[in-house]
Amino acid sequence: MRGRVRRLRAEPFVLLGPGLAYLLVFLVVPLGLVLSYTVFKRGRFGGIVYEANGGNFARAADPIYADVLMHSVTLALITTVLALLIGYPTAYVIAHLPARWKAFALVAVVLPFWTNFLIRTYAWIVLLNSQGLVNSALIDLGLVDKPLQLLYTDGAIVTGLLYAYLPLMILPLYSAIERLDPQLREASANLGAHPARTFLSVTLPLTLPGTLTGCVFVFVPSLGNFVIPELLGGGKRIMVGNLIRDQFLKARDWPFGSVLAAAVVAVLILLLTAQAWTARRFSGEEDHA
């Protein structure tokens, strides 16, 4: 009997062990190293000098870096809003498709993930350059007289980010809409509410947790991405992901790079906390606690 009790007590730790070990090795330890580097000095030829230095944080407040951060946040927000405007109706339509078409539609949504990320990004270079398909179509249709500068612009960066992360918006929204009890919408309609009123008063509030999850899933990787801004932006405008990469790999200023990385992690934690609080709020868990 005593042995069985011990096994029951140990079972949760055995089941959680692989996941906890993964988090410890690939999240807690690297994050701890990054945070510890923020208070030290950069070596003369790179690396770390283990002497206390608070200047890294003051340097991060320089207007140059604030401008990089604001530009990155702006592009990430634009990408997130566009993903929401495209993703919500897409998820809504998929959730109401006949069962035999849902699987086909969902496979179509995740299909781009089956192709290498770099190949997909380079494909946009082919499409957006001056001799690309987009400019050729605009000229053939008579909409423009000469090729437009589409590549190496903020618009190209947003297009690449939107294409890369749109599925991360659609899938949580689809899950939220799919779980919505159809009787609630039927009750709203039976009480005389117009379909638009039913959507605004029933569907939209009840799918808000899924909406926020999708927004976080798109905003966070868009903010830290450095491959798409490098390839589609031509390196003309530095985003915070490029800045962090350059501090570690080019300037070899690990302490300052760690400060910037820690700032992005802090933004991520704030967003996840807000998303979790909102999800509990609208799912009613707080009321039952």
Side-chain angles (χ1 to χ4, degrees), residues 245-289:
R245 179 206 58 185
D246 291 345
Q247 293 303 316
F248 277 97
L249 300 183
K250 294 183 179 178
R252 294 182 60 77
D253 192 345
W254 291 14
F256 184 57
S258 297
V259 170
L260 297 174
V264 174
V265 171
V267 172
L268 169 63
I269 292 174
L270 286 175
L271 288 173
L272 292 177
T273 303
Q275 187 275 331
W277 179 85
T278 306
R280 287 198 304 272
R281 179 78 175 173
F282 281 86
S283 63
E285 291 181 9
E286 285 190 343
D287 298 335
H288 298 296

Side-chain angles (χ1 to χ4, degrees), residues 21-146:
Y22 180 88
L23 289 176
L24 180 65
V25 173
F26 294 105
L27 178 64
V28 177
V29 173
L31 186 58
L33 286 174
V34 167
L35 293 177
S36 66
Y37 289 165
T38 60
V39 297
F40 295 123
K41 290 183 178 178
R42 173 185 180 272
R44 184 176 180 183
F45 302 103
I48 302 292
V49 174
Y50 293 98
E51 295 178 8
N53 176 30
N56 297 320
F57 294 94
R59 185 180 166 194
D62 189 289
I64 295 176
Y65 302 116
D67 180 63
V68 171
L69 180 61
M70 287 305 299
H71 182 248
S72 304
V73 170
T74 301
L75 293 187
L77 278 176
I78 293 173
T79 303
T80 304
V81 171
L82 292 176
L84 179 60
L85 293 177
I86 298 172
Y88 201 104
T90 304
Y92 192 89
V93 170
I94 293 175
H96 292 85
L97 283 175
R100 65 178 182 276
W101 289 107
K102 281 184 183 178
F104 177 79
L106 290 173
V107 168
V109 168
V110 300
L111 194 60
F113 280 124
W114 297 356
T115 307
N116 183 275
F117 181 81
L118 284 176
I119 293 176
R120 284 183 281 149
T121 305
Y122 276 113
W124 278 107
I125 295 178
V126 175
L127 290 172
L128 296 178
N129 69 50
S130 58
Q131 305 298 322
L133 185 63
V134 176
N135 267 315
S136 299
L138 292 174
I139 293 174
D140 291 343
L141 292 173
L143 299 177
V144 296
D145 297 327
K146 58 182 180 179

